[in-house]
Amino acid sequence: MGFAILNGKIIDRSEAKVDVEDRGYQFGDGVYEVIRVYNGKMFTVTEHLHRFVKSSDSIGISFPFSSEQLTSLLEELIVKNNLRVGIIYMQITRGVAPRNHAFPTEDVIPTFVAYTKEVPRPAESLKTGVKTILTEDIRWLRCDIKSLNLLGNLLAKQKAAEEGCFEAIQHRGEDVTEGSSSNIFIVKNGLVSTHPSNHLILKGITKDVILQLCAKNNIPLKERTFSLEELEEADEVFLASTTSEVMPIIEIAGKKVMDGMPAPVTKKLQELFVQEIEKQCGALKES
Ligand code: DCS
C-alpha cells in the first residue's frame, strides 16, 4: 500500500484514518487536486499547487503549507513510494467538528491527505480515441472550484460507463460546458475552440498548457462558448485532463466524429504535449 501524507507527516498508508465527523467525509467540505507524475517527476506542479490554494481560499480553508513545503513533501512521498508513472491525489477538508452545516466557530485544523497511485499513460486510447455520450450539466454554478462535491460529475460519468463510453460531455441547454472530468475542445476549419474559464467549468491545467502550446505554435484558438450543433459539426473533437492528456474523441452519442479517426490538429497537439512533458520530466518510453 505504501505511504501517505496525513497533516504534514509521511505515514504508512494503512494508518491514514479519517474521523467520522471530518467535514470532508460528512459534507464534501473540502477541495482536491490530481497531479501527474512521469519518470518520478511531477508535471506542472506549480500550476496545480496554485489552483489548490485558490480552491482552498475560495471556500475559506486556510492552506496549511507554503508551496515550497508541500512540493518537497510530495517529492519525498514519490521517492518513498518509488512512483515512476502515476498520479498524486491530495485533498484538504475543513477538519473535524461536531456536525453542523455552518462552519465551526472555534479554530479547527484542516485535514490534509495525499497518496500516490501507479497510473500508466493511456497509450492505446491516445492512439485510437474514445467514445462519449451527451448529458445535461446539472452541477452547481461554482464549477471553477475543485470541490470534493462531485455528485453531478459522478452521475454523468456513470451514465457514460453504462453506455460503454469513456466520458460524458455536459451541456447547459444548447451550450457545451465540459466533460465529467475533462475539458472539451472542438476544431472547425483549423480553429480550436474551448469553453472560457469561468464559473461554469474547471480551469484545467492541461487546458492551460494546450492554450500556451497553440499560442507558441501559431495554432488558432479561441476560448468561447460553442453549441451542441457546433459540436456535432466539428472536424475534430478532443478532451484534455491530467490523467488523459490530449485524448481524441471519435464518437459522440453514437455518432462518429467525421470518419471516426484521430485527426491532424489533435495529433499535432498530442505531439506538442508530449514534448512539453519531456521538457519537464525527461524522455517518455515509447509504448
Ligand atoms: N474538468 C473537470 C470537471 C475535471 O474534473 C478535470 C480534471 C478537468 C476539467 C481537467 O483538469 P486538469 O487538466 O487540471 O486535470 N479532473 C481530475 C480528476 O478528478 N481526476 O483526474 C483529473
Side-chain angles (χ1 to χ4, degrees):
M1 271 241 282
F3 296 91
I5 302 170
L6 179 62
N7 296 331
K9 285 201 189 71
I10 298 187
I11 58 171
D12 204 275
R13 190 176 142 183
S14 61
E15 265 144 42
K17 295 269 175 9
V18 176
D19 193 283
V20 291
E21 281 195 315
D22 189 283
R23 290 179 62 93
Y25 178 63
Q26 289 195 323
F27 297 118
D29 186 5
V31 294
Y32 76 105
E33 269 301 326
V34 180
I35 304 181
R36 240 311 177 188
V37 174
Y38 301 101
N39 297 327
K41 295 201 179 77
M42 288 181 278
F43 180 62
T44 52
V45 59
T46 313
E47 292 82 352
H48 279 282
L49 294 189
H50 179 78
R51 184 173 69 186
F52 198 22
V53 174
K54 211 171 140 211
S55 290
S56 183
D57 281 351
S58 70
I59 61 165
I61 295 177
S62 62
F63 203 74
F65 310 102
S66 70
S67 285
E68 294 73 26
Q69 272 173 330
L70 186 51
T71 305
S72 58
L73 258 175
L74 295 175
E75 280 167 354
E76 206 182 319
L77 185 69
I78 290 170
V79 172
K80 286 202 91 159
N81 283 342
N82 198 17
L83 182 70
R84 301 305 299 164
V85 179
I87 57 153
I88 295 176
Y89 175 86
M90 55 185 170
Q91 66 173 48
I92 185 164
T93 76
R94 203 175 305 280
V96 179
R99 187 177 185 278
N100 182 1
H101 287 53
F103 297 172
T105 45
E106 70 285 8
D107 273 351
V108 170
I109 304 159
T111 310
F112 174 87
V113 170
Y115 65 90
T116 65
K117 190 170 168 233
E118 273 181 44
V119 181
R121 296 186 62 222
E124 195 53 35
S125 313
L126 286 171
K127 270 190 210 125
T128 59
V130 294
K131 297 179 180 177
T132 59
I133 60 153
L134 289 171
T135 190
E136 183 69 36
D137 193 339
I138 60 163
R139 301 171 303 158
W140 70 332
L141 297 174
R142 288 305 306 275
C143 297
D144 54 317
I145 301 171
K146 206 161 166 56
S147 159
L148 292 177
N149 287 276
L150 287 174
L151 268 179
N153 309 59
L154 305 191
L155 292 174
K157 187 72 103 191
Q158 178 58 20
K159 200 169 154 199
E162 283 167 8
E163 297 187 30
C165 288
F166 179 76
E167 179 61 303
I169 302 178
Q170 302 173 102
H171 55 93
R172 288 193 192 265
E174 286 306 303
D175 295 342
V176 175
T177 51
E178 65 176 339
S180 71
S181 63
S182 62
N183 292 118
I184 302 292
F185 294 69
I186 58 169
V187 186
K188 184 73 182 176
N189 299 328
L191 174 70
V192 183
S193 300
T194 190
H195 196 284
S197 292
N198 59 18
H199 63 290
L200 295 178
I201 66 157
L202 182 76
K203 186 171 159 37
I205 304 299
T206 319
K207 174 187 185 219
D208 275 351
V209 172
I210 292 167
L211 258 55
Q212 287 162 24
L213 290 173
C214 283
K216 267 190 227 155
N217 294 279
N218 299 318
I219 299 169
L221 180 141
K222 219 175 188 169
E223 282 188 278
R224 62 174 191 97
T225 308
F226 59 86
S227 66
L228 281 173
E229 195 183 329
E230 288 179 89
L231 177 71
E232 196 179 329
E233 286 168 3
D235 299 331
E236 303 182 31
V237 183
F238 63 90
L239 62 83
S241 83
T242 293
T243 41
S244 297
E245 302 177 9
V246 178
M247 179 69 77
I249 292 177
I250 53 160
E251 197 181 293
I252 303 170
K255 276 189 68 187
K256 279 197 174 114
V257 177
M258 294 303 273
D259 56 359
M261 305 267 283
V265 179
T266 309
K267 286 206 234 170
K268 177 74 190 163
L269 283 167
Q270 286 186 314
E271 195 185 304
L272 292 169
F273 194 78
V274 165
Q275 285 172 15
E276 190 57 39
I277 296 171
E278 294 191 325
K279 230 197 260 174
Q280 294 188 29
C281 305
L284 294 175
K285 280 197 201 85
E286 195 49 55
S287 46

